[in-house]
């Protein structure tokens, strides 16, 4: 599976899709594949203020619990409550229905620190460490 | 651990292999002046016969519940355990303090823990229980921490009638985290003052923690305390130091508790100078992922046969390292097994009957002591098997000391826990106390027959 163009990626395997002054955040196909079956996801409440790369929650698979990092600073304005009942959406559709939160981007400059799809693909090719 | 005997020749060979001349050289890094020189100052070895005599002499100095009339409770309770308990826990298949590494290979151990968790749920009226904590105090501290995690709030309200040592453990656990503790005083009946409790609870309160029966033996108004926590969005934590009471009292889970912890020693584990004990820890299913400790689940293998596994281990320290839910990464396996066997041997009816015996014998003693000259009951709230007696004429320590010389442990002086109750002591009566013992206590205290 290719990593969609137009998204920005972190070294911790989150993606962000910027829509106006907001950014939708999820984890990448690679991340969900490494985790295995996701059984639970812990997400923040609306209104929480996050700094860039602050842990905003955790994703739990049968193998491990991993922290989720927010690609940019901002306020959480939406949370994907569908994941409470169907965490498997993260495995099935990581770039679509498996999204986790929407943040109101505080400082668009922070996006430049993130990787493009092409950069992320080669990051993975080099072993993603 | 294996014992590996080494001959002098073995030792010389090993020393030569690593290039040192003597065993003494291995300690060269330790300054000579702080090293022990020569042999330890020990008396000469005794023959086996003399050693047994010596040890029996030491044992005879012990004050134990066999050789004394004991009315001590305060968190450690003398109860009947059927012979089968000790017999089974000492079997080689079971005799381990821990859940084994690669636990699924020990299906019997996991099944026993699974049964234990089920029993804890039934006793407490909760939905899930873990495989046990170290003891009641740390279980309560973990419950308070869990409430902090679940609510994200920085303050906890704790009743002053919670066991003073449990409160000490809470303070130790919370201090480095900067979580504030508000203690709520007790009222005239010996229960938590509910007005003050409600006033102490705010939008910052992670939980309200009460103990019932409380340290004074008084049954708390658990439902009211839980409602006070819930009114401000906090959790209700209930501790039980004497779980035999659960044979009679409404389970905390039915009174609104979100987390129930208990000291499990009373079931099948001897008083044993304070440990090892075990902590019950139970909660509602929706909080299971915030729960500390390990959890055994039942599942099926590929042929559809029942099997037991550790579940939710991903949140434990050996996998999640410093981000684990708690630093507890084991349980009190053997103590939990003793509790399980005892509970199963007693059965539902047996636990109820044991609780009734405690209630009746304690009520008998309480009635007699209330009338004893120079003594009074300090509180008038309802009690289970413990109550506070006030000594009006003589200092408590003098009274208790005099009775101890008559091989009678009349109670626990409260001065070291509650300075304002220095004229009081806590008396516990269980099914193990015979009527003659109770009458003997009353008589010794000057109450007549």
């Amino acid at each position: 599976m290719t990593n969609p163009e137009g998204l920005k990626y972190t070294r911790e395997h989150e993606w962000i899709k910027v829509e106006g002054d907001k950014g939708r955040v999820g984890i990448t196909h690679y991340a969900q594949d490494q985790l295995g079956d996701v059984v639970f996801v812990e997400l923040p409440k609306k209104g929480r203020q996050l700094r860039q790369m602050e842990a905003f929650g955790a994703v739990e698979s049968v193998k491990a619990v991993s922290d989720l990092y927010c690609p940019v600073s901002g306020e959480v304005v939406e949370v994907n409550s569908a994941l409470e009942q169907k965490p498997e959406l993260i495995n099935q559709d990581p770039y679509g229905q498996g999204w986790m939160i929407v943040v109101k981007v505080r400082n668009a400059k922070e996006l430049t620190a993130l990787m493009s799809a092409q950069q992320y693909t080669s990051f993975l090719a080099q072993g993603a460490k | 651990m294996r014992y590996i005997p080494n001959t002098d020749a073995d030792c010389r060979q090993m020393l030569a292999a690593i290039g040192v001349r003597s065993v003494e050289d291995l300690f060269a890094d330790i300054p000579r002046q702080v090293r022990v020189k020569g042999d330890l100052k020990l008396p000469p070895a005794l023959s086996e016969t003399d050693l047994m005599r010596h040890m029996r002499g030491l044992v005879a100095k012990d004050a134990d519940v066999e050789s004394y009339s004991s009315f001590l409770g305060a968190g450690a309770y003398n109860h009947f355990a059927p012979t089968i308990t000790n017999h089974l826990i000492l079997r080689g298949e079971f005799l381990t303090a821990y859940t084994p590494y690669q636990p699924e290979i020990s299906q019997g151990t996991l099944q026993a823990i699974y049964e234990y968790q089920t029993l804890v749920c039934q006793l407490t009226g909760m939905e899930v229980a873990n495989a046990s904590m170290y003891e009641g105090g740390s279980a309560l501290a973990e419950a308070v921490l869990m409430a902090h995690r679940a609510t994200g709030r920085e303050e906890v309200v704790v009743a002053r009638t919670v066991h003073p040592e449990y409160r000490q453990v809470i303070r130790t656990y919370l201090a480095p985290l900067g979580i504030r503790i508000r203690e709520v005083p007790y009222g005239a009946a010996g229960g938590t003052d509910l007005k003050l409790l409600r006033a102490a609870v705010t939008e910052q309160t992670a939980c309200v923690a009460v103990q019932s029966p409380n340290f004074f033996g008084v049954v708390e108004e658990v439902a009211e305390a839980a409602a006070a926590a819930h009114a401000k969005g906090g959790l209700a934590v209930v501790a039980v130091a004497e779980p035999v009471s659960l044979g009679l009292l409404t389970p905390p889970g039915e009174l609104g508790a979100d987390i129930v912890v208990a000291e499990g020693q009373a079931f099948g584990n001897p008083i044993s100078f304070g440990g090892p004990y075990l902590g019950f820890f139970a909660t509602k299913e929706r909080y299971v992922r915030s729960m500390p400790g390990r959890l055994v689940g039942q599942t099926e293998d590929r042929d559809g046969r029942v099997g037991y596994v550790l579940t939710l281990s991903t949140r434990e320290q050996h996998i999640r390292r410093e981000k684990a839910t708690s630093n507890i990464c084991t349980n009190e396996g053997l103590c939990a097994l003793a509790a399980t066997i005892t509970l199963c041997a007693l059965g539902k009816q047996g636990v109820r009957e044991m609780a009734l015996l405690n209630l009746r014998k304690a009520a008998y003693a309480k009635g007699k002591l209330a009338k004893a000259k120079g003594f009074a009951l300090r509180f008038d709230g309802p009690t289970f098997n413990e109550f506070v007696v006030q000594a009006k004429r003589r200092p408590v320590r003098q009274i208790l000391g005099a009775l101890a010389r008559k091989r009678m442990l009349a109670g626990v002086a409260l001065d070291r826990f509650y300075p304002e109750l220095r004229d009081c002591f806590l008396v516990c009566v269980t099914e193990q106390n015979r009527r003659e013992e109770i009458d003997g206590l009353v008589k010794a205290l000057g109450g007549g027959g």
Side-chain angles (χ1 to χ4, degrees):
Chain A
M1 185 163 177
T2 55
N3 299 300
E5 292 293 332
L7 308 190
K8 290 286 202 172
Y9 298 87
T10 71
R11 299 172 71 87
E12 302 289 344
H13 310 288
E14 289 86 9
W15 56 261
I16 181 167
K17 185 180 182 189
V18 178
E19 303 156 335
D21 61 348
K22 291 175 188 153
R24 192 172 294 270
V25 177
I27 62 169
T28 66
H29 171 76
Y30 173 83
Q32 68 77 27
D33 188 53
Q34 289 290 305
L35 282 164
D37 291 343
V38 173
V39 293
F40 184 72
V41 59
E42 200 179 295
L43 296 175
K45 290 201 175 85
K46 264 193 232 179
R48 177 147 164 219
Q49 298 290 339
L50 295 165
R51 282 172 284 107
Q52 188 173 31
M53 293 315 282
E54 182 180 343
F56 68 81
V59 60
E60 179 178 339
S61 73
V62 292
K63 285 194 275 185
V65 180
S66 307
D67 282 336
L68 299 162
Y69 298 95
C70 192
V72 292
S73 305
E75 181 186 332
V76 179
V77 290
E78 263 185 80
V79 177
N80 188 0
S81 55
L83 299 179
E84 279 173 31
Q85 294 302 316
K86 298 188 78 179
E88 63 272 20
L89 289 174
I90 293 165
N91 293 113
Q92 291 161 2
D93 191 9
Y95 297 110
Q97 290 185 69
W99 68 275
M100 292 170 173
I101 56 170
V102 174
V103 289
K104 193 167 177 193
V105 181
R106 196 182 300 147
N107 178 3
K109 277 186 198 159
E110 287 177 353
L111 291 161
T112 57
L114 304 173
M115 290 179 274
S116 67
Q118 198 190 340
Q119 285 167 325
Y120 180 64
T121 305
S122 53
F123 171 67
L124 293 181
Q126 286 157 25
K129 288 298 170 200
Chain B
M1 196 181 289
R2 288 182 182 83
Y3 174 65
I4 303 171
N6 293 312
T7 64
D8 288 346
D10 292 336
C11 291
R12 276 196 301 277
Q13 210 177 338
M14 285 190 284
L15 291 170
I18 58 171
V20 293
R21 262 175 305 175
S22 67
V23 173
E24 190 69 18
D25 286 351
L26 295 173
F27 301 101
D29 290 337
I30 302 170
R32 191 168 291 278
Q33 64 270 25
V34 299
R35 273 190 263 163
V36 175
K37 285 170 207 74
D39 294 330
L40 292 174
K41 280 177 198 148
L42 291 172
L46 297 175
S47 71
E48 191 171 326
T49 309
D50 288 341
L51 182 62
M52 289 306 284
R53 194 174 292 135
H54 173 70
M55 296 306 285
R56 276 195 214 99
L58 291 179
V59 169
K61 288 185 184 172
D62 280 347
D64 60 41
V65 293
E66 306 302 326
S67 54
Y68 277 63
S69 279
S70 174
F71 297 91
L72 305 181
Y77 300 94
N78 179 27
H79 287 296
F80 167 75
T83 309
I84 192 175
T85 299
N86 248 345
H87 184 76
L88 288 180
I89 65 168
L90 293 175
R91 283 187 65 105
E93 301 93 323
F94 275 134
L95 191 54
T96 169
Y98 297 104
T99 38
Y101 294 98
Q102 202 191 344
E104 282 75 22
I105 210 160
S106 306
Q107 282 292 305
T109 297
L110 292 196
Q111 184 177 353
I113 295 173
Y114 183 80
E115 302 292 349
Y116 161 84
Q117 292 170 178
T118 305
L119 290 163
V120 170
C121 287
Q122 289 173 343
L123 278 169
T124 57
M126 301 303 279
E127 293 165 353
V128 289
N130 74 12
S132 74
M133 311 294 285
Y134 298 128
E135 40 71 66
S138 60
L140 179 56
E142 288 274 12
V144 167
L145 281 182
M146 177 175 148
H148 156 70
R149 277 196 300 278
T151 60
R153 297 179 178 186
E154 302 291 329
E155 196 171 280
V156 298
V157 172
V158 181
R160 201 160 163 256
T161 54
V162 169
H163 195 305
E165 288 166 353
Y166 293 8
R167 282 184 284 131
Q168 188 96 43
V169 178
I170 292 177
R171 284 194 283 273
T172 304
Y173 271 56
L174 298 195
L177 297 169
I179 302 170
R180 294 180 301 278
I181 303 170
R182 284 191 187 199
E183 290 201 342
V184 182
Y186 53 87
T192 298
D193 187 317
L194 288 171
K195 263 189 198 159
L196 294 175
L197 176 75
R198 287 189 199 103
V201 179
T202 71
E203 313 287 339
Q204 290 307 305
T205 305
C207 69
V208 167
V210 295
Q211 178 183 317
S212 186
N214 68 24
F215 189 70
F216 303 139
V218 174
V219 179
E220 291 276 7
E221 291 177 73
V222 172
E224 298 294 322
H230 295 154
K232 297 285 166 71
L235 303 190
V237 174
V238 177
V240 181
E242 167 51 297
V244 171
S245 65
L246 295 172
L248 277 182
L249 300 176
T250 306
E254 290 175 26
L255 299 172
D258 299 293
I259 308 171
V260 181
V261 296
E263 171 51 68
Q265 171 268 328
F267 295 122
N269 288 277
I271 294 170
S272 194
F273 213 72
Y277 288 0
L278 74 150
F280 291 0
F281 195 107
T283 187
K284 292 179 175 163
E285 193 159 357
R286 67 171 175 274
Y287 298 120
V288 71
R289 283 189 161 80
S290 312
M291 185 171 75
R294 41 189 36 190
L295 188 69
V296 175
Q298 192 189 68
T299 185
E300 284 178 1
D301 71 5
R302 65 180 176 189
D303 301 321
R305 291 174 302 189
V306 169
Y308 299 90
V309 291
L310 281 189
T311 63
L312 296 174
S313 299
T314 44
R315 300 196 162 247
E316 286 190 76
Q317 209 176 27
H318 63 288
I319 293 181
R320 229 193 158 205
R321 315 298 293 179
E322 78 280 7
K323 286 175 178 165
T325 312
S326 158
N327 73 338
I328 188 166
C329 210
T330 181
N331 72 330
E332 287 279 3
L334 197 64
C335 297
L337 181 68
T340 307
I341 296 166
T342 303
L343 282 165
C344 291
L346 290 171
K348 195 174 178 178
Q349 190 59 24
V351 173
R352 190 178 163 76
E353 280 167 17
M354 185 191 252
L356 259 178
L357 271 174
N358 278 258
L359 180 77
R360 287 186 185 141
K361 290 194 174 204
Y364 174 78
K366 198 174 158 183
K368 292 265 180 180
L369 288 172
K371 284 184 239 150
K373 256 191 184 163
F375 295 93
L377 299 177
R378 179 63 177 75
F379 301 116
D380 59 10
T383 57
F384 174 60
N385 67 357
E386 280 181 290
F387 51 91
V388 175
V389 175
Q390 186 177 20
K392 300 192 152 181
R393 295 187 181 166
R394 283 179 295 149
V396 166
R397 297 237 169 223
Q398 197 182 88
I399 296 168
L400 298 181
L403 290 182
R405 285 189 285 279
K406 295 181 188 170
R407 299 180 95 75
M408 204 177 280
L409 305 171
V412 176
L414 291 182
D415 54 355
R416 57 189 259 239
F417 300 121
Y418 300 89
E420 74 277 17
L421 297 176
R422 66 179 182 283
D423 59 347
C424 294
F425 58 102
L426 182 65
V427 177
C428 174
V429 183
T430 75
E431 81 288 346
Q432 298 288 73
N433 295 111
R434 287 169 295 113
R435 184 175 172 153
E436 305 87 83
E437 273 184 280
I438 299 170
D439 290 340
L441 173 71
V442 174
K443 200 174 166 205
L445 287 173

